[in-house]
Amino acid sequence: MWLTRVAINRPVTITMVILALIVLGLVSLTRMPVTVVSVYPGAGPEEIGTLVTEPIEDRVSTISGVKSVTSASQEGISTVGIEFYLGTNLDTAANDVREKVDAAGFELPTDMDPPVVEKFEVSAMPVVTFALYSPRPAQELRRLADDVVKDRL
């Protein structure tokens, strides 16, 4: 109720807030990171770190416009995130990352899956995740989630 009252009494304030949100959204869109995901089945985190993550980090950190490089090495998977400075063309940057990752291919183990380069989109992530727990059988719980909860949401 208070938001409606503010919107009616102060339309310029609401317009400025909406414009600020739009500008922040556009700035966030241009700062969207590029992610390199590499799968090496059966390798431990330390092996992944030295054999996969470090060579990829070394290559992508030389790309112009890179603000920061973050990585995570887990059992069988390596994730390298590259954040670019504001104003960097992300399509060109993603192509540069693909070229550098392809060039690092000779340093990577031959029995691993080829690394995947993708632009990380915040809008592709779920806004809310729900979990259901019940002593009921799994099939009945699934039917309840699909037929009742999903429709009401």
Side-chain angles (χ1 to χ4, degrees):
M1 194 76 164
W2 66 270
L3 183 61
T4 307
R5 195 170 338 144
V6 170
I8 292 171
N9 293 336
R10 301 188 184 276
V12 174
T13 304
I14 296 298
T15 304
M16 297 307 289
V17 168
I18 290 172
L19 286 176
L21 290 174
I22 290 171
V23 168
L24 287 174
L26 292 173
V27 167
S28 298
L29 181 67
T30 61
R31 299 183 75 193
M32 185 171 51
V34 175
T35 307
V36 180
V37 179
S38 307
V39 178
Y40 188 15
E46 290 180 14
E47 283 181 292
I48 292 282
T50 56
L51 297 175
V52 179
T53 305
E54 286 180 12
I56 291 175
E57 278 182 338
D58 292 342
R59 293 291 181 139
V60 298
S61 62
T62 63
I63 298 172
S64 63
V66 171
K67 181 177 181 179
S68 67
V69 177
T70 57
S71 63
S73 300
Q74 301 171 3
E75 183 82 26
I77 193 164
S78 165
T79 306
V80 178
I82 304 108
E83 183 181 358
F84 294 93
Y85 284 108
L86 185 63
T88 304
N89 184 339
L90 286 179
D91 293 327
T92 306
N95 288 334
D96 292 344
V97 170
R98 281 186 188 90
E99 289 174 7
K100 293 291 185 176
V101 169
D102 289 343
F106 70 91
E107 296 178 38
L108 301 175
T110 57
D111 54 341
M112 68 173 276
D113 297 343
V116 176
V117 177
E118 56 189 28
K119 286 192 280 187
F120 179 75
E121 296 186 36
V122 175
S123 63
M125 295 182 66
V127 176
V128 177
T129 303
F130 288 101
L132 296 176
Y133 174 78
S134 173
R136 298 178 181 192
Q139 291 175 335
E140 186 179 339
L141 186 61
R142 174 63 185 238
R143 191 172 38 256
L144 177 69
D146 287 340
D147 296 342
V148 178
V149 176
K150 181 179 171 186
D151 291 339
R152 290 185 184 177
L153 288 176

